[in-house]
């Protein structure tokens, strides 16, 4: 039985496996510029975030109907459950779909067909986090939040993703203020490719409660001290960091140093279909390559539930935490 864990950094569009991409392409009459799943998999070689994002956005073309989004989410939830995920806070990128003429309602209600029954079908509780694309304008983010208003009962929080360099958090001050006023939780990608100053800005200007990646905080000891002091969780994605060249090799990943520094780290899969593994695969990889002890792995699992947005279901959090403590490796 795998270690119970929560997954807090997972882009649902990044769970599109080649087999499902081709199935949906046929279903929707969309032509993919790849001969077959093998040829598509062979394209999964990236020299950084942008080269990955180009393929990630191109493949969203196959997602058109509510059922497509439901099938995508169900496939993820089944795989995640098999790897010990008990709770998943799932990102989606509405602008990537709105731009193709797929309405907000199709995306959210489609995902909800899977998420709304996930606890009974997969044993996984879920939350939905709507991300703004930081390489789009601040006005586009505000319009997206507006379009989401009829669906806010399905959405727990907002996030910020896509190409980081040159798109500082401050650009999204207004939309984060509006999101906070609507009662939404706030997270943002920062310090993946961007500098440590973006992490500070995400905290101070956007009021984020959790930092996605946050890897580059290690370049700024004062920032590390602050993140430790304020118990700000970081959602690290080790296999993603290797595939997108944020680190040279997993063996050189700063996760052990981050844990030693007292940071509240979690381990997640980011875009598992593209980066070679789901949540459990990431845990296995850091155990193998970084020699993490069983108690360190337990700490990562414990952190994942502590950092989750389960304030509206503290019973579930407590049950999951008890499972982590009782787990026998
Ligand atoms: N969108 C999907 N995955 C992402 C990542 N790792 N960083 C930024 N934007 C993303
Ligand atoms: Zn991400």
């Amino acid at each position: 039985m795998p270690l119970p864990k929560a997954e807090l950094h997972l882009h649902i569009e990044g769970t599109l496996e080649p087999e499902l991409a081709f199935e949906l392409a046929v279903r929707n009459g969309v032509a993919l510029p790849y001969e077959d799943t093998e040829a598509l998999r062979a394209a999964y070689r990236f020299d950084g975030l942008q080269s990955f994002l180009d393929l990630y956005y191109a493949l969203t073309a196959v997602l058109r109907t509510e059922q497509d989004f439901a099938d995508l989410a169900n496939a993820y939830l089944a795989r995640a459950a098999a790897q010990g995920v008990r709770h998943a806070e799932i990102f989606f990128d509405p602008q990537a779909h709105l731009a193709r003429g797929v309405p907000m309602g199709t995306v959210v209600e489609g995902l909800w067909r899977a998420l709304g029954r996930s606890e009974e079908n997969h044993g996984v509780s879920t939350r939905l986090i709507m991300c703004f694309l930081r390489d789009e304008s601040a006005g586009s983010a505000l319009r997206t939040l507006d379009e989401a208003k009829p669906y806010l009962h399905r959405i727990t929080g907002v996030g910020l993703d896509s190409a980081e360099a040159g798109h500082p958090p401050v650009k999204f001050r207004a939309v984060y203020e509006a999101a906070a006023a609507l009662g939404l939780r706030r997270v943002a990608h920062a310090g993946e490719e961007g500098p440590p100053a973006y992490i500070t800005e995400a905290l101070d200007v956007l009021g984020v409660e959790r930092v996605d990646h946050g890897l580059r905080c290690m370049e700024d000891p004062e920032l590390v001290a602050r993140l430790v002091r304020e118990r700000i969780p970081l959602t690290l994605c080790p296999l993603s960091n290797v595939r997108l060249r944020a680190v040279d090799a997993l063996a050189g990943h700063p996760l052990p140093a981050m844990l030693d520094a007292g940071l509240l780290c979690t381990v997640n899969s980011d875009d598992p279909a593209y980066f070679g593994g789901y949540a459990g695969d990431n845990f296995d990889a850091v155990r193998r390559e970084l020699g993490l002890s069983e108690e360190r792995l337990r700490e990562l699992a414990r952190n994942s539930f502590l950092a989750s947005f389960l304030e509206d279901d503290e019973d579930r959090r407590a049950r999951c935490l008890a499972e982590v403590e009782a787990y026998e490796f």
Side-chain angles (χ1 to χ4, degrees):
M1 187 185 85
L3 177 64
K5 56 187 74 69
E7 171 136 84
L8 307 178
H9 185 154
L10 182 281
H11 303 264
I12 198 65
E13 295 88 350
T15 68
L16 181 61
E17 294 284 347
E19 290 72 20
L20 183 58
F22 272 90
E23 191 184 319
L24 297 180
V26 170
R27 186 195 286 177
N28 292 321
V30 174
L32 285 177
Y34 300 93
E35 183 85 5
D36 53 26
T37 55
E38 224 168 285
L40 176 52
R41 248 195 198 96
Y44 289 7
R45 280 203 195 88
F46 312 114
D47 59 15
L49 180 55
Q50 190 60 57
S51 63
F52 154 68
L53 289 171
D54 291 343
L55 182 60
Y56 168 95
Y57 292 127
L59 285 190
T60 60
V62 303
L63 296 163
R64 303 221 61 94
T65 67
E66 281 193 24
Q67 195 56 46
D68 299 339
F69 286 93
D71 290 349
L72 179 69
N74 268 319
Y76 162 69
L77 290 162
R79 283 177 181 261
Q83 296 201 358
V85 171
R86 296 279 194 281
H87 176 74
E89 303 196 347
I90 297 175
F91 296 140
F92 70 110
D93 284 331
Q95 286 154 294
H97 310 301
L98 294 169
R100 302 180 293 111
V102 178
M104 182 71 80
T106 300
V107 181
V108 176
E109 295 303 337
L111 293 173
W112 198 257
R113 282 192 198 183
L115 271 52
R117 308 191 58 184
S118 174
E119 265 196 74
E120 48 181 307
N121 288 347
H122 304 286
V124 181
S125 52
T126 63
R127 300 289 182 274
L128 207 44
I129 299 179
M130 179 174 81
C131 285
F132 304 114
L133 302 184
R134 67 200 308 155
D135 45 359
E136 298 290 332
S137 69
S140 171
L142 278 163
R143 286 192 296 279
T144 303
L145 181 61
D146 218 42
E147 292 215 34
K149 281 186 180 156
Y151 307 100
L152 290 184
H153 56 298
R154 307 259 192 255
I155 298 172
T156 297
V158 294
L160 188 63
D161 65 2
S162 203
E164 187 181 5
H167 300 286
V170 66
K171 181 175 159 188
F172 298 94
R173 182 199 297 268
V175 76
Y176 270 68
E177 279 174 6
L182 290 166
L184 292 163
R185 313 293 296 261
R186 289 166 286 170
V187 300
H189 284 52
E192 180 187 21
E193 285 197 342
Y198 282 16
I199 299 174
T200 303
E201 212 175 274
L203 294 169
D204 291 340
V205 179
L206 305 185
V208 302
E209 302 170 72
R210 220 161 58 196
V211 175
D212 295 313
H213 293 297
L215 193 67
R216 289 188 59 192
C217 73
M218 295 303 276
E219 295 167 28
D220 180 346
E222 277 182 31
L223 175 58
V224 170
R226 175 186 180 183
L227 294 169
V228 171
R229 197 171 56 242
E230 297 181 13
R231 302 280 292 156
I232 306 287
L234 305 179
T235 62
L236 298 170
C237 307
L239 290 176
S240 163
N241 294 153
V242 175
R243 291 295 182 99
L244 298 186
R245 312 272 182 92
V247 299
D248 289 335
L250 196 52
H253 197 281
L255 175 61
M258 297 175 89
L259 289 168
D260 287 344
L263 288 162
L264 206 160
C265 298
T266 65
V267 162
N268 309 270
S269 67
D270 205 3
D271 300 284
Y274 294 88
F275 300 151
Y278 287 75
D281 300 315
N282 274 268
F283 270 74
D284 291 346
V286 297
R287 179 179 201 177
R288 193 175 59 243
E289 298 289 325
L290 298 171
L292 289 193
S293 67
E294 290 175 355
E295 281 321 298
R296 278 300 196 207
L297 295 168
R298 195 188 307 278
E299 177 185 347
L300 289 168
R302 184 187 303 127
N303 286 350
S304 71
F305 293 108
L306 293 175
S308 68
F309 293 149
L310 271 168
E311 280 78 4
D312 56 357
D313 194 353
E314 290 293 355
D315 283 352
R316 180 157 185 85
R317 192 193 326 256
R319 278 199 307 279
C320 290
L321 282 168
E323 262 194 88
V324 170
E325 300 313 328
Y327 183 76
E328 288 180 28
F329 284 91

